Amino acid sequence: IDNALQQALIHFGQIDVLVNNAGYALMGAFENASEEQIQRQFDTNVFGLMRVTRTLLPHFRQRKAGLVLNVASMAGRLPIPFMSVYNGSKWAVQGFSECLTYELAPFNIQVKIVEPGAVDTAFFGRSGDRENVTGVDAYASCMDEQFPILDKTGPGGSTSEEAAEVIYGAATDGKATLRYAVGRDAKVLLSARRLLPDRVFIPMIGWSLSPTVFNSFGRLFYKKT
């Protein structure tokens, strides 16, 4: 990271925008994930983002200008079944970014968040990790129901070019906007998240991805106390 910063300064003289875009998805039940998989997920999606940001901040503070643009996900504000570790990492990015806005505002440094929905990249292919390291097979039937749906709908999302356009726009529009959704799916689901109560929204997500999960979840969620 230090070397990348120095090379960028030698080549460009200054840095105006930092885009943190590294990420991949650990998919599957939480109980199927090893400590190593969980650590790797947060190293990439959260701790790496923090390290790069921390390295750039002295340069931004010295210039009294700069923009930190963190690519999170719509999954940073809504749940996706059997992606709990990935979701946790993206919720962490959201919380970190929001809090950072207060710290950096006195130095004229902005923080923005990009929230892609499904994007037609390698996210559901080589960029995903579905390996069941622990060997627990109790969740297999539910995951067998959900993953084909994700694999079918994922490539039908926004193109990588469309996502890049949103990132570029966020970096150059000069606005004080905090969040930028990418894709119709993200815009619709994030709007629904704001408007609908948990009692409606959370089962809706379960129903759309896995009827088995929805039926089981519904019995618990609507259980009378």
Side-chain angles (χ1 to χ4, degrees):
I1 296 171
D2 291 333
N3 183 61
L5 171 61
Q6 294 307 315
Q7 291 299 316
L9 291 177
I10 290 171
H11 189 75
F12 296 107
Q14 69 181 38
I15 297 173
D16 302 302
V17 181
L18 165 63
V19 179
N20 284 308
N21 188 43
Y24 75 96
L26 176 61
M27 304 180 189
F30 173 68
E31 201 174 349
N32 290 153
S34 67
E35 289 293 325
E36 290 77 15
Q37 286 176 305
I38 296 170
Q39 182 68 48
R40 187 164 60 244
Q41 178 74 104
F42 274 79
D43 276 340
T44 301
N45 290 13
V46 183
F47 301 134
L49 174 149
M50 289 180 171
R51 292 184 186 110
V52 176
T53 301
R54 184 166 53 190
T55 301
L56 266 290
L57 286 183
H59 176 68
F60 286 164
R61 282 191 292 102
Q62 184 180 30
R63 293 186 55 227
K64 294 190 181 301
L67 169 62
V68 178
L69 202 163
N70 292 328
V71 180
S73 168
M74 68 174 181
R77 287 200 288 150
L78 56 89
I80 300 178
F82 296 109
M83 295 182 70
S84 54
V85 178
Y86 171 77
N87 265 62
S89 72
K90 291 302 185 179
W91 284 60
V93 170
Q94 292 270 4
F96 171 69
S97 301
E98 284 195 41
C99 290
L100 206 60
T101 60
Y102 298 105
E103 299 175 24
L104 301 184
F107 304 101
N108 195 37
I109 303 170
Q110 272 190 293
V111 180
K112 295 187 176 185
I113 306 169
V114 173
E115 302 173 314
V119 180
D120 188 10
T121 64
F123 183 84
F124 292 100
R126 62 176 176 82
S127 292
D129 180 0
R130 304 185 185 185
E131 184 178 4
N132 180 351
V133 175
T134 63
V136 176
D137 61 1
Y139 307 93
S141 60
C142 291
M143 289 189 292
D144 288 345
E145 197 173 54
Q146 176 178 327
F147 285 156
I149 298 175
L150 289 176
D151 291 336
K152 182 179 180 179
T153 59
S158 304
T159 65
S160 55
E161 289 80 7
E162 290 168 336
E165 287 177 3
V166 174
I167 292 172
Y168 180 77
T172 59
D173 64 11
K175 297 180 181 179
T177 306
L178 175 62
R179 289 188 168 88
Y180 295 77
V182 179
R184 185 175 181 273
D185 54 346
K187 293 174 182 178
V188 169
L189 288 171
L190 290 171
S191 295
R193 169 92 269 198
R194 289 192 299 269
L195 297 173
L196 298 176
D198 290 344
R199 192 173 180 82
V200 175
F201 182 82
I202 295 178
M204 179 186 77
I205 293 294
W207 174 82
S208 66
L209 292 175
S210 173
T212 299
V213 170
F214 172 73
N215 291 333
S216 302
F217 182 79
R219 289 196 297 271
L220 294 175
F221 203 74
Y222 296 111
K223 185 178 180 180
K224 293 183 179 180
T225 57

